[in-house]
Amino acid sequence: MQIYKTSFSFRNREFPIGNGKALQFIYGSRQFKTKGGLAAGTATTNVYSDKKFKTTMRAMQTSCCSPDEVIFSTNCEESLYCHLLCGLIFRDQVQVVSSTFAHGIVHAFRTFEGKWEDLVNDVRRGELCSWIKTPSLRTAMSKLLNPNPGLANIIYNKCMGLSNWYGVIQELFPNTKYIYGIMTGSMEPYLKKLRHYAGDLPLLSADYGASEGWIGANVNPELPPELAKFAVLPNIGYFEFIPLKEDLIVEPQPIELTEVNIGEEYEIIVTNFAGLYRYRLGDVVKVKGFHNSTPELQFICRRNLLLTVNIDKNTEKDLQLAVKAAANLLEEEKLEVVDFTSGIDSSTEPAHYVIYWEISGEASEELLKECCNCLDKSFLDPGYVSSRKVKTIGALELRILKKGTFHKILDHFVELGAAVSQFKTPRCVGTKNQTLLQILRHNVVKNYFSSAF
Ligand code: AMP
């Protein structure tokens, strides 16, 4: 709550809001007791169920539009529908549209595209549509719903007037001041779609932290998400930094918060009040400057290598850049990459990279072949390029997935107890994750091999 309030005070200076509500796409997940009797659950569930969460949100003039039954429903599809409906009911009061990670907002408005007519009908009739079965949701929503044909007509006309849903958030919630959520790191690929839905509304990137401990606040909310940096809050933990330099064979000793240098990259080590001692978070950050004397960090990527067959090393960031370059080609046919992941296929000799894409419509064969070549060419790591040239890594393969595959992947993780609020699409699927590989395999509709080398 302290970090929420800290960054809110910086945000509110640049983007002041009045008294109102927030349309927050937040979801609690299953909480349970360990054998030893300790309460266990995901971090965000713990936050949302804490009494202080509500008072803090009220103090920040952004109480959630949705009742607790919607936040804590175990059926996330029904819950999302009700979040959207609550947003529409309180349309004039909504000042902020947010979720923990940007994926949550994009996912919500992709769903809105398919369900908007049902939502308009519910507003018109003052009754929740029949496919929502959870009794607690039905009871909670019935307290908010009243027949409102006037509002239904407004929403209907707004939706009909939009071109390809551009600016839908701004149109539906006219008093929104900004869109808020974590937009950096693995969320960057969703920015383009988010900007499309947002219209002219500013996107404000939220703070930097993890279930294991919080790290920094965004004290420069006016910066676009691509440039967001986070001021380390030195009183919430004890932070050390492992310098990351390519040419070192032995890993250097960690250095202290005050010893970091601008422009250099580090892996963070956290020691905190929750009891973690010198815990390696696995994130790579770059020091961009200082806020007074605390460093401001830019999130770079997860440290684990993603794709490697032999001497090649490609990180999440490299994959993101390659996908971005190839996805630009899809614009020719007004298509976009809905989501993506990757893996290594070692069943061929030599092994090769596989990129999985779900795209928004049907692309031509020619274009997809071009995208496949572009992906292969866009991995610039010298180890990869040289191995491709001498064919010790096979031709990159692009596999196109059925529409809705990433939705199935989200459902799969939720079934395992993950929280939708904290969901991040895995960007690389290893052979250990057979269930996920199976979902991917069963949903491939076409594949292409690169002829770039
Ligand atoms: P979780 O498993 O939900 O606790 O996720 C924590 C992880 O999410 C961190 O270790 C980061 O890799 C990532 N993350 C959290 N905040 C940010 C941020 N502001 N920018 C980029 N990545 C973030």
Side-chain angles (χ1 to χ4, degrees), residues 65-67 70 82 86 89-90 126 139-146:
C65 300
S66 310
V70 173
C82 292
C86 292
I89 295 170
F90 294 108
T139 313
M141 292 304 296
S142 70
K143 290 183 190 149
L144 299 177
L145 280 163
N146 282 311

Side-chain angles (χ1 to χ4, degrees), residues 407-419:
H407 205 300
K408 286 187 194 152
I409 292 176
L410 169 68
D411 290 343
H412 163 68
F413 280 99
V414 170
E415 258 168 47
L416 294 177

Side-chain angles (χ1 to χ4, degrees), residues 88-107:
L88 296 177
I89 295 170
F90 294 108
R91 132 173 229 269
D92 289 328
Q93 295 175 50
V94 172
Q95 305 242 1
V96 176
V97 174
S98 73
S99 74
T100 316
F101 288 98
H103 171 266
I105 308 174
V106 170
H107 176 63

Side-chain angles (χ1 to χ4, degrees), residues 270-333:
V270 182
T271 299
N272 63 21
F273 298 105
L276 289 174
Y277 178 71
R278 303 194 94 185
Y279 176 83
R280 290 175 73 154
L281 199 57
D283 287 345
V284 177
V285 295
K286 188 180 208 167
V287 178
K288 294 300 277 185
F290 285 87
H291 179 82
N292 298 326
S293 38
T294 194
E296 287 186 320
L297 309 176
Q298 180 186 28
F299 182 90
I300 301 293
C301 59
R302 299 284 303 163
R303 185 164 183 192
N304 337 0
L305 283 184
L306 270 173
L307 293 166
T308 173
V309 169
N310 48 50
I311 55 164
D312 52 312
K313 290 192 204 107
N314 279 301
T315 63
E316 179 172 353
K317 191 82 202 168
D318 299 321
L319 171 67
Q320 248 180 44
L321 291 173
V323 169
K324 191 171 176 193
N328 277 342
L329 302 175
L330 286 179
E331 278 176 23
E332 271 174 38
E333 295 186 8

Side-chain angles (χ1 to χ4, degrees), residues 321-361:
L321 291 173
V323 169
K324 191 171 176 193
N328 277 342
L329 302 175
L330 286 179
E331 278 176 23
E332 271 174 38
E333 295 186 8
K334 298 209 167 22
L335 295 168
E336 62 194 6
V337 175
V338 172
D339 220 333
F340 63 95
T341 187
S342 68
I344 300 291
D345 184 347
S346 322
S347 65
T348 55
E349 180 55 49
H352 65 276
Y353 287 16
V354 180
I355 310 296
Y356 297 89
W357 269 10
E358 179 177 329
I359 42 188
S360 55

Side-chain angles (χ1 to χ4, degrees), residues 43 101 182-186 205-212 214 230 281 283 299 302 422 424:
F101 288 98
I182 293 175
M183 298 173 187
T184 34
S186 62
S205 204
D207 306 316
Y208 170 39
S211 306
E212 298 93 326
W214 223 247
F230 308 98
L281 199 57
D283 287 345
F299 182 90
R302 299 284 303 163
Q422 282 173 247
K424 302 164 208 75

Side-chain angles (χ1 to χ4, degrees), residues 28-32 41-42 45 411-420:
S29 62
R30 212 161 30 89
Q31 284 180 301
F32 58 97
T42 58
T45 307
D411 290 343
H412 163 68
F413 280 99
V414 170
E415 258 168 47
L416 294 177
V420 183

